[in-house]
Amino acid sequence: MKKKDLLDDLSSIKNIMERSTKFISLSGLSGVMAGVYALVGAGYAFTVLQSGKAAGPGHTYRDEVIVPLVFTAIAVLILSVSTGIWLTIRKARRKGLTVWNPVSKALLLSGGIPLATGGLVIIILLLQRHFAIISAGCLIFYGLALVSASHHTFGDVKWLGIFEVIIGLAALAIPGYGFLLWVLGFGVMHILYGAIMHFKYDREVNA
Amino acid sequence: MKLTLDNFDKAFENRIRLQAMSVLVANESYDFNSLKELLDVTDGNLASHLKALEKEEYITVTKSFLGRKPNTRYQATKAGIAAFKKHLEALENLIKQQK
């Protein structure tokens, strides 16, 4: 037994253990894109909100304001998720790894439970017209989903989740700043996080 | 240079066996096909190495069906996890001795 063989054995164990428990194909660029979509969506939402305000007091929460806002949010969500899936599959292919494996299943399950719960809470809040706390609800449940999912991927995801929860709690505590904090949490934080992830993990793959 | 091979487990001499064991130590259980993909080995190769680990009673096998597809899952036994840890310590000691 040579020393090199021993070290190879140890490093192969470390590598395999990591790959069997952590999904490392998440793309940083998809985080940046999600942030950009969120900012564009928020820009449109802002003009809708302004027109509601211009129509007079109490108009902000009328259906003609709320309905376009909900559709904008759904469009941002669909675009972000599909871009994320596409870029993640691309990254996995480049690395020669599979996308659908026990680790990605565990990742989706652990993130999916808080996320689906949050989605249902948001729908219920919408139906009961508790519009003021929806922004906080999105941020808090999304953050918890990230913290939960982070056990199966890069540890950085946990930090993004913790920040989202803090921003969500702030949105709950400071009424009137929900929209601004939503922009911070989903727009700015995603771009920041995505850029960090991209430069930390993706660059050698794209080079 | 003569090295002491105390605690060096013959069952883990083969790298694929060692890698397969490390996956089962790090995870509650793993299925055959995912293990095959992860280690990038052929069916027959992996099957024979898993058989060897099973014979040592380091792992247990559960066979079931997912719809019509057979699903074979592997789990590390307590003895297997202990043996793996001991083997890792032996590897570390060997490296220290060679310094």
Side-chain angles (χ1 to χ4, degrees), chain A:
Chain A
M1 272 293 220
K2 291 206 182 84
K3 183 168 184 180
K4 195 181 168 302
D5 290 336
L6 294 172
L7 289 175
D8 280 354
D9 265 3
L10 280 179
S11 79
S12 88
I13 292 172
K14 184 170 174 280
N15 178 286
I16 289 282
M17 277 184 156
E18 211 165 80
R19 273 204 291 143
S20 72
T21 52
K22 291 197 187 301
F23 188 69
I24 51 166
S25 302
L26 281 186
S27 149
L29 214 54
S30 64
V32 176
M33 292 309 289
V36 171
Y37 298 145
L39 287 183
V40 172
Y44 173 70
F46 185 71
T47 62
V48 175
L49 280 171
Q50 285 306 311
S51 73
K53 275 186 190 146
H59 277 258
T60 318
Y61 290 151
R62 293 259 168 102
D63 281 348
E64 55 265 38
V65 174
I66 292 299
V67 172
L69 289 189
V70 170
F71 277 104
T72 311
I74 291 171
V76 167
L77 182 69
I78 291 173
L79 268 174
S80 304
V81 171
S82 45
T83 309
I85 291 173
W86 173 56
L87 287 175
T88 295
I89 290 175
R90 201 181 66 154
K91 184 173 165 189
R93 286 225 180 105
R94 283 189 179 173
K95 284 188 164 183
L97 301 173
T98 53
V99 179
W100 194 235
N101 53 40
V103 191
S104 61
K105 281 177 209 168
L107 176 80
L108 287 181
L109 189 70
S110 57
I113 292 170
L115 205 60
T117 311
L120 292 174
V121 169
I122 302 301
I123 291 171
I124 293 166
L125 289 177
L126 270 175
L127 293 176
Q128 299 189 343
R129 307 187 73 83
H130 295 305
F131 301 124
I133 53 173
I134 283 178
S135 160
C138 289
L139 287 160
I140 290 170
F141 279 102
Y142 178 61
L144 291 176
L146 289 180
V147 172
S148 163
S150 71
H151 298 296
H152 303 285
T153 184
F154 302 110
D156 312 62
V157 172
K158 185 170 81 189
W159 287 106
L160 177 65
I162 289 170
F163 279 118
E164 299 286 1
V165 171
I166 292 171
I167 296 169
L169 289 174
L172 205 57
I174 322 169
Y177 285 88
F179 181 73
L180 209 67
L181 289 168
W182 191 96
V183 171
L184 176 68
F186 284 100
V188 179
M189 287 303 290
H190 271 146
I191 293 177
L192 210 67
Y193 154 84
I196 292 171
M197 293 289 282
H198 183 71
F199 286 110
K200 204 163 157 189
Y201 303 107
D202 295 359
R203 260 203 317 195
E204 77 267 35
V205 183
N206 293 332

Side-chain angles (χ1 to χ4, degrees), chain B:
Chain B
M1 179 172 180
K2 183 91 177 87
L3 290 171
T4 47
L5 287 175
D6 300 339
N7 292 332
F8 196 84
D9 202 323
K10 280 266 188 240
F12 298 133
E13 212 168 18
N14 177 284
R15 179 163 298 170
I16 293 169
R17 245 177 269 171
L18 185 63
Q19 288 178 332
M21 196 64 204
S22 67
V23 173
L24 296 175
V25 169
N27 293 275
E28 225 171 282
S29 70
Y30 233 73
D31 69 280
F32 186 87
N33 287 327
S34 307
L35 206 53
K36 193 179 78 176
E37 264 173 25
L38 194 66
L39 303 182
D40 200 18
V41 287
T42 60
D43 270 52
N45 200 351
L46 181 60
S48 74
H49 287 307
L50 288 172
K51 200 100 211 162
L53 289 173
E54 202 190 329
K55 226 170 133 189
E56 296 282 338
E57 294 182 347
Y58 285 175
I59 61 173
T60 53
V61 190
T62 328
K63 287 183 181 176
S64 62
F65 279 85
L66 274 180
R68 285 170 157 236
K69 276 195 199 155
N71 178 38
T72 314
R73 300 198 69 87
Y74 295 89
Q75 245 179 319
T77 61
K78 271 186 188 155
I81 293 170
F84 180 77
K85 282 186 180 153
K86 226 169 148 190
H87 183 76
L88 277 193
E89 277 164 23
L91 283 182
E92 275 172 20
N93 284 335
L94 281 175
I95 289 169
K96 274 183 205 153
Q97 281 180 39
Q98 290 187 346
K99 261 181 192 162

